[in-house]
Amino acid sequence: MSDREPQRSGGRVALADLTGAEDMAAALRKLQDEWGPVAPVDLEPGVPGWLVLGHAEVMAVMRTESVFARDPRHWREQLPPESNLHAILSPTGRRNLYFADGVEHRRLRLPVDEAFSSMDEVRTAALVRGVCDGLIDAFATRGNADLIGEYAAAVSFLAVSGMFGFDEGQGFALLRCAMEIFGHGGDPVVALETMDRIVLDHVAATRAQPGQNLTARFIEHPAFEDDIEIGHTMVVAICAANEMLITWIAATLRRMLTDPRYTGRVTGVRRGLDDAMDETLWREPPVANLPARYAVTDCTLGQAHIKAGDAIVMGVAAANNDPRVRTADELFEAGNQSHLSFGVGPHACPAKRPGRLLVKIAVESLMKRLDLRLTDPEVTWAPSPWSRYPATLPVAFTPERTAARTPARV
């Protein structure tokens, strides 16, 4: 179990110490008790910003791009060259929907919305099941596995990259890049450059030989001006999807393996996978701290006086547990969909439906096939200022005599 407690620098708590705290919910409550719904934090040591903790305040930031912009050119902070934040908060020359606002954002968002909404769910489900079965085959005869490194991290990325038409080798290469971009070791800037090269090469290859995948749909869409915009949009879509899906899969698996309401170790009706997925969205949102908006003008948010050029991080984990929208009554909470795990406003997640399909198949495939038992209840959290999931999830199970090798692609 992590023994890290949030440390202060100049009166500010570091984001990574919040996500890595033994009890993140308690750390967030303590921060809100001290500062109110908006608290000063360090995005990394020496880099100041604001963490928005209140549900209403996070919604206001997400919905008001005229005041809280995504374009990092509004940020007045100059990051040192060695900072790990460049790839996520201040990349140079990125032309995609994530870092755009207003009319430009709507132009770049349109092909993404249309591509995801037109996906063939039967084909997508078959692809995801193939990926899941192939990964499970790799450890099914062994009797033990780490469900993070050997499954959750890989299944989300291989499935998403497969939707874009990448092969398995390319998928693993992209996964290594994405893990570094989101602060899980390595050099994020070099990783982003490497990912760009892989993706742009794939765009060129798909243009020469189109297929039935999301890359081909992006190429066909008239809203994109050139392959650079297509490539940069693919990078942000793949990275954002992976970070969200790995956390959602990992947290749901852990809940299914440890919570008596889901494991069936209590009297009464056992709760199901859909319940576990929904509860995870509330209690352990896939992105705990969503980066980042930049104040276009001086303003007041909660009790904080924000200056033009300040960076604002949306504390989704804190907002989801705001007592103004949550109660301790499970019956009252049934059907409550006011969590912010998918965002709201112009930048809300464009792939909620395929994301949910992927997570459900990933967890279901594993738990139907193997009688999993968690072998170590102690948790060390993967290091990241943005997301919170176990670094490892070791399990044991009855080994299969043979594993039916299932192709990871359809």
Side-chain angles (χ1 to χ4, degrees):
M1 183 176 293
S2 170
D3 59 359
R4 293 170 57 193
E5 292 298 331
Q7 302 296 311
R8 293 180 180 275
S9 168
R12 300 184 302 268
V13 176
L15 277 183
D17 282 349
L18 289 170
T19 55
E22 179 178 330
D23 188 340
M24 184 176 69
L28 291 170
R29 284 195 301 270
K30 182 178 179 182
L31 196 63
Q32 188 159 11
D33 288 344
E34 181 177 0
W35 294 100
V38 182
V41 293
D42 268 347
L43 309 185
E44 68 178 11
V47 181
W50 298 97
L51 178 62
V52 187
L53 303 160
H55 187 276
E57 290 76 15
V58 170
M59 285 188 54
V61 172
M62 288 180 171
R63 286 175 166 167
T64 319
E65 63 179 351
S66 59
V67 179
F68 305 106
R70 267 279 177 80
D71 189 337
R73 288 176 295 185
H74 291 289
W75 196 17
R76 55 187 167 85
E77 190 70 30
Q78 296 296 315
L79 292 176
E82 68 277 8
S83 171
N84 287 325
L85 298 175
H86 285 286
I88 289 184
L89 298 188
S90 63
T92 339
R94 305 305 292 180
R95 295 166 56 198
N96 60 51
L97 70 167
Y98 192 88
F99 298 106
D101 300 295
V103 174
E104 185 72 354
H105 172 259
R106 289 191 290 275
R107 175 179 71 83
L108 293 167
R109 168 85 185 217
L110 181 62
V112 176
D113 285 338
E114 292 184 357
F116 280 118
S117 65
S118 65
M119 287 178 64
D120 182 334
E121 288 198 3
V122 174
R123 181 180 174 84
T124 300
L127 184 151
V128 176
R129 288 192 185 94
V131 170
C132 294
D133 287 340
L135 290 168
I136 296 169
D137 283 345
F139 54 75
T141 59
R142 201 171 68 217
N144 62 81
D146 168 23
L147 296 186
I148 304 300
E150 294 183 87
Y151 191 70
V155 72
S156 59
F157 214 91
L158 291 179
V160 172
S161 62
M163 294 174 195
F164 281 93
F166 291 97
D167 62 34
E168 189 173 279
Q170 292 170 316
F172 277 115
L174 291 170
L175 172 59
R176 289 190 291 271
C177 294
M179 296 301 282
E180 294 185 18
I181 289 169
F182 277 90
H184 304 297
D187 187 325
V189 174
V190 173
L192 183 59
E193 293 171 353
T194 303
M195 196 169 193
D196 278 342
R197 286 197 299 272
I198 296 171
V199 169
L200 285 171
D201 286 347
H202 179 66
V203 171
T206 306
R207 188 177 288 283
Q209 191 173 353
Q212 291 186 335
N213 55 58
L214 292 175
T215 304
R217 290 196 181 103
F218 280 12
I219 288 171
E220 293 165 359
H221 204 286
F224 286 122
E225 293 181 351
D226 54 33
D227 284 0
I228 298 295
E229 283 190 351
I230 294 172
H232 286 183
T233 299
M234 287 172 59
V235 166
V236 78
I238 292 170
C239 284
N242 179 68
E243 192 72 3
M244 181 168 189
L245 294 171
I246 181 177
T247 310
W248 197 1
I249 292 169
T252 303
L253 279 169
R254 184 166 173 264
R255 190 173 301 280
M256 295 290 288
L257 292 172
T258 61
D259 190 324
R261 295 171 302 155
Y262 298 102
T263 61
R265 293 197 301 267
V266 293
T267 303
V269 178
R270 176 175 173 173
R271 301 191 73 185
L273 175 53
D274 283 302
D275 294 321
M277 291 171 61
D278 288 334
E279 187 170 353
T280 297
L281 289 174
W282 272 110
R283 298 187 182 278
E284 300 172 84
V287 182
N289 299 315
L290 184 63
R293 304 293 175 95
Y294 309 97
V296 175
T297 183
D298 292 357
C299 61
T300 299
L301 185 65
Q303 301 162 16
H305 299 293
I306 311 292
K307 296 291 185 183
D310 283 356
I312 296 103
V313 171
M314 292 148 283
V316 176
N320 280 1
N321 288 287
D322 189 327
R324 291 177 289 182
V325 294
R326 294 298 309 279
T327 74
D329 186 337
E330 284 194 21
L331 292 177
F332 180 82
E333 287 295 317
N336 187 347
Q337 294 294 311
S338 56
H339 66 74
L340 299 177
S341 294
F342 295 122
V344 295
H347 289 270
C349 174
K352 289 184 284 187
R353 189 175 177 89
R356 187 177 187 90
L357 177 69
L358 191 155
V359 173
K360 186 169 185 177
I361 292 173
V363 177
E364 195 172 55
S365 297
L366 193 60
M367 299 203 70
K368 279 187 173 179
R369 185 164 163 184
L370 303 174
D371 56 342
L372 301 170
R373 305 177 300 280
L374 194 63
T375 58
D376 186 357
E378 300 294 305
V379 177
T380 299
W381 302 105
S384 170
W386 316 114
S387 55
R388 176 181 170 90
Y389 61 88
T392 61
L393 198 62
V395 294
F397 48 85
T398 304
E400 292 184 350
R401 291 186 178 180
T402 57
R405 294 287 168 182
T406 307
R409 293 290 175 266
V410 296

